């Protein structure tokens, strides 16, 4: 159920950002953007696999996300329509990676909520 909700949220956000934003062109190239997205996704997957917010992989993921990872997601979302049009398969893979990243963020936020109480 969480994965379905995450998928829905990512698709909804992507569609909203694509349709509502102005079509500014970022300096990041297609290949560079997808490469950075893949790297962040791999670390996020390790974090989820470790299932511990205090693991090295989760701490690394948080650092990466805070130091540009969230911007990578934004750049992909802003250009999702263009990417889908030009490379459907690559864009679908990138969307799966965004879902993995989103799941890791949700996992860490949930961990933080339960440990603040």
């Amino acid at each position: 159920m969480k994965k379905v909700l995450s998928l829905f949220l990512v698709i909804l956000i992507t569609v909203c950002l694509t349709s509502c934003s102005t079509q500014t062109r970022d300096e990041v190239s297609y290949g560079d953007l997808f490469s950075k997205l893949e790297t962040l996704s791999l670390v996020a997957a390790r974090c989820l696999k470790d299932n511990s917010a205090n693991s090295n992989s989760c701490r690394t993921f948080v650092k990466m996300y805070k130091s540009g990872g969230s911007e990578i997601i934004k750049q992909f979302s802003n250009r999702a329509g263009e990417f889908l049009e030009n490379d459907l398969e690559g864009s679908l893979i990138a969307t799966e990676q965004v879902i993995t990243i989103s799941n890791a963020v949700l996992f860490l936020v949930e961990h933080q909520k339960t440990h603040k109480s």
Side-chain angles (χ1 to χ4, degrees), residues 79-104:
R79 297 174 64 188
E82 172 190 339
F83 295 145
L84 284 167
E85 195 173 296
N86 294 326
D87 181 6
L88 179 62
E89 186 176 339
S91 297
L92 292 176
I93 291 169
T95 301
E96 288 176 11
Q97 292 168 340
V98 169
I99 292 168
T100 300
I101 294 164
S102 299
N103 284 335

Side-chain angles (χ1 to χ4, degrees), residues 56-94:
N56 285 336
S57 59
C58 285
R59 284 183 277 175
T60 300
F61 172 73
V62 169
K63 287 178 189 173
M64 290 175 69
Y65 189 80
K66 286 182 177 180
S67 67
S70 61
E71 186 62 29
I72 293 166
I73 302 287
K74 182 179 175 182
Q75 290 172 357
F76 173 74
S77 297
N78 287 340
R79 297 174 64 188
E82 172 190 339
F83 295 145
L84 284 167
E85 195 173 296
N86 294 326
D87 181 6
L88 179 62
E89 186 176 339
S91 297
L92 292 176
I93 291 169

Side-chain angles (χ1 to χ4, degrees), residues 2-5 18 27 34 39 47 51 54 56-57 61 74 76 86 88-90 105 110:
K2 252 187 173 180
K3 287 189 179 196
V4 172
L5 179 60
T18 302
E27 295 297 318
F34 276 44
T39 301
C47 173
N51 199 30
N54 296 320
N56 285 336
S57 59
F61 172 73
K74 182 179 175 182
F76 173 74
N86 294 326
L88 179 62
E89 186 176 339
V105 170
E110 188 63 34

Side-chain angles (χ1 to χ4, degrees), residues 7-23:
L7 174 61
F8 175 74
L9 289 174
V10 169
I11 292 171
L12 180 64
I13 290 169
T14 301
V15 169
C16 286
L17 288 173
T18 302
S19 65
C20 298
S21 69
T22 59
Q23 292 297 322

